[in-house]
Amino acid sequence: MLFIHFDGLSFSPFYNTGAEGAKRIWGDATGDLWSVGNGGTMAHYSNGAWTKLASGTSLPIQDIWGGVNPTTGQEEILAVASNFWHFRRQRQSCQISGNTVTAVNDSGLALALSSVWFIPGWKYFVGGSGLFVTSSIGNNWDVDTLMSPSQYTFSIRGTAKNDIFMVGGYGLVSHWNGETLRQYTELGSFYGNYYSVSFKGNTVAAVGLMPGSTVDSYAVILVGTRK
């Protein structure tokens, strides 16, 4: 699997020899990265080399996120796996520590999952067929009654407790400001999905697909600027 790296000036190839069909990549530094993907593939990049990890699942791993817990000082990394397109849906959540992967409690989660995001020591979110939350890794998951959008959540990302974006099915774009959830209905709905969202500062970007009139689909890129 080929990744492309941008250093602010130019793009260059960045190969991942450990995880074919990679879906997501996360890292706290350019020299310490994790990638996850189809067939339960998972790899860790450290000291200039990729190491393939035993994830303990053959399900497609949909997303990965991590951060340092300010209370314990420990790095916490979570990944979620789900074959949500399959008629016999299955799920699994796991925690990564170095090159060790262990399953964690997934009680309360839906079978269709697509995203994970959290602020260590505050709240841990998993999105998919619903939005789920827990206050500690290993606890049961509950349906989030405050932030849950009305459509399927393919991706959730945030920068703070009061600055969280979610995108998903039928053109879902929503934002949590710490008190209320706003869904950007003025963008209009469509028979396509936004599959990923990322933002920094006042700029947010989402990417997805719009079904075409034949078997072809069209890429959709949404860019927003906060003023």
Side-chain angles (χ1 to χ4, degrees), residues 1-222:
M1 175 58 64
L2 173 64
F3 290 103
I4 303 297
H5 176 253
F6 181 66
D7 62 5
L9 296 174
S10 61
F11 291 92
S12 60
F14 186 66
Y15 285 91
N16 172 359
T17 59
E20 295 300 320
K23 288 178 172 290
R24 293 289 187 272
I25 186 169
W26 176 86
D28 57 3
T30 57
D32 201 15
L33 307 171
W34 283 261
S35 68
V36 296
N38 294 327
T41 55
M42 182 181 293
H44 180 204
Y45 179 82
S46 181
N47 298 319
W50 286 95
T51 301
K52 191 172 182 178
L53 307 184
S55 66
T57 182
S58 60
L59 297 173
I61 303 178
Q62 302 294 342
D63 200 11
I64 185 171
W65 188 259
V68 176
N69 191 308
T71 301
T72 65
Q74 299 296 311
E75 187 172 58
E76 298 176 342
I77 306 173
L78 293 178
V80 292
S82 172
N83 57 348
F84 56 85
W85 294 118
H86 199 278
F87 72 96
R88 295 183 62 184
R89 293 176 175 174
Q90 295 175 289
R91 66 166 187 251
Q92 184 166 326
S93 57
C94 57
Q95 183 173 9
I96 302 101
S97 178
N99 288 337
T100 302
V101 184
T102 56
V104 297
N105 184 11
D106 60 6
S107 178
L109 292 176
L111 293 177
L113 305 174
S114 292
S115 189
V116 58
W117 177 83
F118 57 90
I119 295 179
W122 177 55
K123 290 182 179 181
Y124 303 77
F125 296 96
V126 169
S129 183
L131 183 67
F132 306 89
V133 62
T134 187
S135 60
S136 180
I137 297 174
N139 287 357
N140 290 346
W141 296 83
D142 298 310
V143 175
D144 187 281
T145 58
L146 294 176
M147 291 171 48
S148 293
S150 58
Q151 291 118 287
Y152 189 95
T153 303
F154 275 106
S155 184
I156 174 172
R157 290 293 185 262
T159 62
K161 299 176 182 179
N162 61 350
D163 197 11
I164 303 170
F165 273 97
M166 289 167 283
V167 299
Y170 296 98
L172 169 70
V173 180
S174 62
H175 178 260
W176 172 257
N177 66 6
E179 295 183 356
T180 58
L181 179 73
R182 178 184 177 185
Q183 294 199 205
Y184 289 84
T185 55
E186 64 269 28
L187 295 174
S189 61
F190 60 88
Y191 293 104
N193 305 316
Y194 289 115
Y195 291 110
S196 185
V197 64
S198 183
F199 69 107
K200 184 175 182 179
N202 291 323
T203 302
V204 59
V207 295
L209 287 176
M210 167 83 79
S213 57
T214 60
V215 295
D216 296 325
S217 296
Y218 301 92
V220 178
I221 302 174
L222 175 70

